Every structure is written in structure tokens, then in C-alpha cells.
């Protein structure tokens, strides 16, 4: 399994880095920079009348993966980016699937047991979630509240005690997190995951 450390160049790019580790595992010749530039939908923040307006993380990456002051994005954005990559490169072997809400048992059965890693949302070093900050959405004006310590990793295996990840944060490498805390942090982040299925 290829490993990429996000910390030097992509301080908030955990989602893209995790997606690219999966693509490289599948044999796709892509770099993180190419994926961000060509496949990831991004949108910046704006100030209007003293109020902060920002993108909807269900639709866009909020800010830039190169900016440590940016936030991140949710599973549909990475699912769309992966499928954009497959389409852009003419790769008809694979399709990305938004598995948000899928149980851990089902993720293990559908993907890990079939030797397919999963892009997985939880928390930085499994820290406790922090509610906030908030901003108004650019397209609707509704208030949105981010859950801080959001983090994306590549789920690569499991055992009786917990789960194994390629964790791109601060060169964590291949790391084991305990089952209960992993599943709790995953639930807090809306149980988001993205899988890739083989079509051929």
C-alpha cells in the first residue's frame, strides 16, 4: 500500500491524499497535486458585510488543501473527484461509491475482505470532536457548523481490537486505532466513507 505524508505540502489535504493513496494502490499513475488540480471541486471563503460566507463541504472542498487555515470536504466531494478521475483518464475498471451511513461490518465485508481499502472519515489522532466554527453557506445563506478535528484516512485492515489505517497526518504511517473510539469518531463525522468497486 503506497503511503503519502500530507503534512509538508497538504496541511488540510487529508481527503485528497487518502484518495490518491487508494488510486496508487489500484495502479493509477496520479500525484496528489494532479488530483487536486484536475479532479477536486474547491471553493474559497468570502466576507460579506462583516460575515463569513463559505462553501458547503458536501459539495466542495472548503478553501485549499495547500492552506493550513482551510477546512476540508465530505464524502460526496471525494466520491465525485474519484469518478471524475476515472472518467478523465478513461479508466473503466472502477467506480467510486459514497458509502456514508454504511455500517462497519458492511464496509469490512464489501471492501476490506475483498482487499480493497476505504477512504474513511474520523478524527485527527482520534481526538475528541470540537463543535465549530460556523459560517454562512455561499449558495443559500444558511448557517453551517463544522465539526473540528475532522480527518480522513485510508482504512486498510482490521483485527479484533480495532482498525488499521494509512494515516497521512504528521507522517503517522500505518497505524492502529482501537475499535470503540474509531467507530465513535466515525459516527460524529456522519459515518462518512467512500469505497471503490471493480467493474471489470
Amino acid at each position: 500500500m503506497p503511503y503519502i505524508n500530507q503534512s509538508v505540502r497538504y496541511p488540510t489535504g487529508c481527503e485528497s491524499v487518502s484518495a490518491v493513496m487508494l488510486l496508487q494502490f489500484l495502479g493509477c499513475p496520479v500525484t496528489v497535486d494532479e488530483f487536486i488540480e484536475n479532479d477536486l471541486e474547491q471553493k474559497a471563503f468570502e466576507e460579506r458585510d462583516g460575515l463569513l460566507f463559505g462553501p458547503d463541504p458536501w459539495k466542495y472542498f472548503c478553501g485549499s488543501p495547500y492552506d493550513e487555515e482551510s477546512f476540508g470536504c465530505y464524502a460526496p466531494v471525494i466520491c465525485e473527484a474519484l469518478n471524475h478521475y476515472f472518467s478523465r483518464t478513461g479508466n473503466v475498471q472502477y467506480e467510486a461509491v459514497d458509502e456514508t451511513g454504511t455500517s462497519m461490518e458492511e464496509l469490512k465485508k464489501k471492501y476490506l475482505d475483498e482487499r480493497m481499502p476505504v477512504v474513511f472519515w474520523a478524527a485527527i489522532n482520534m481526538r475528541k470532536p470540537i463543535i465549530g466554527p460556523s459560517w454562512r453557506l455561499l449558495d443559500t445563506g444558511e448557517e453551517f457548523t463544522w465539526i473540528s478535528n475532522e480527518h480522513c484516512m485510508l482504512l486498510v485492515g482490521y483485527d479484533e481490537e480495532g482498525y488499521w489505517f494509512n494515516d497521512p497526518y504528521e507522517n503517522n504511517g500505518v497505524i492502529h486505532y482501537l475499535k470503540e473510539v474509531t467507530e465513535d469518531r466515525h459516527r460524529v463525522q456522519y459515518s462518512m466513507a467512500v469505497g471503490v468497486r471493480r467493474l471489470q
Side-chain angles (χ1 to χ4, degrees):
M1 178 68 62
Y3 179 76
I4 302 170
N5 173 26
Q6 76 176 85
S7 303
V8 176
R9 186 161 171 78
Y10 318 104
T12 54
C14 55
E15 302 94 348
S16 294
V17 171
S18 296
V20 170
M21 285 192 286
L22 174 52
L23 288 172
Q24 290 184 359
F25 168 76
L26 297 175
C28 300
V30 61
T31 66
V32 178
D33 293 308
E34 289 167 348
F35 183 80
I36 291 171
E37 180 179 346
N38 296 311
D39 304 301
L40 184 70
E41 289 281 354
Q42 304 166 67
K43 196 167 263 194
F45 287 81
E46 301 175 10
E47 190 172 312
R48 299 177 185 171
D49 299 323
L51 296 174
L52 182 64
F53 281 75
D56 183 343
W58 295 101
K59 299 177 182 177
Y60 305 97
F61 186 95
C62 301
S64 166
Y66 300 102
D67 178 9
E68 63 183 14
E69 299 299 320
S70 290
F71 291 88
C73 63
Y74 289 165
V77 179
I78 292 300
C79 186
E80 185 175 325
L82 283 166
N83 282 327
H84 186 273
Y85 171 83
F86 293 137
S87 175
R88 175 174 66 82
T89 59
N91 189 327
V92 296
Q93 290 180 286
Y94 301 106
E95 179 184 50
V97 181
D98 186 349
E99 295 286 2
T100 298
T102 300
S103 70
M104 294 302 297
E105 289 305 311
E106 191 69 13
L107 289 177
K108 289 189 284 186
K109 180 180 176 183
K110 286 175 68 174
Y111 296 102
L112 298 182
D113 291 349
E114 299 296 323
R115 300 182 61 80
M116 181 67 78
V118 176
V119 182
F120 187 92
W121 277 253
I124 295 172
N125 291 334
M126 294 302 166
R127 297 173 188 162
K128 291 183 178 180
I130 297 172
I131 306 303
S134 298
W135 59 83
R136 293 184 184 275
L137 296 178
L138 287 163
D139 50 358
T140 66
E142 293 177 63
E143 187 172 29
F144 171 81
T145 300
W146 181 258
I147 302 173
S148 292
N149 286 333
E150 174 263 357
H151 186 45
C152 192
M153 301 172 283
L154 196 61
L155 174 61
V156 298
Y158 64 95
D159 55 30
E160 290 184 7
E161 285 77 38
Y163 301 95
W164 291 92
F165 294 92
N166 263 27
D167 182 353
Y169 186 73
E170 291 192 340
N171 215 22
N172 275 342
V174 180
I175 193 168
H176 186 265
Y177 290 116
L178 293 176
K179 181 177 181 179
E180 187 174 321
V181 68
T182 299
E183 293 182 358
D184 177 73
R185 302 302 187 257
H186 183 55
R187 277 192 298 271
V188 169
Q189 293 293 345
Y190 310 107
S191 298
M192 290 187 293
V194 173
V196 168
R197 63 178 183 175
R198 293 181 176 91
L199 300 177
Q200 298 179 357

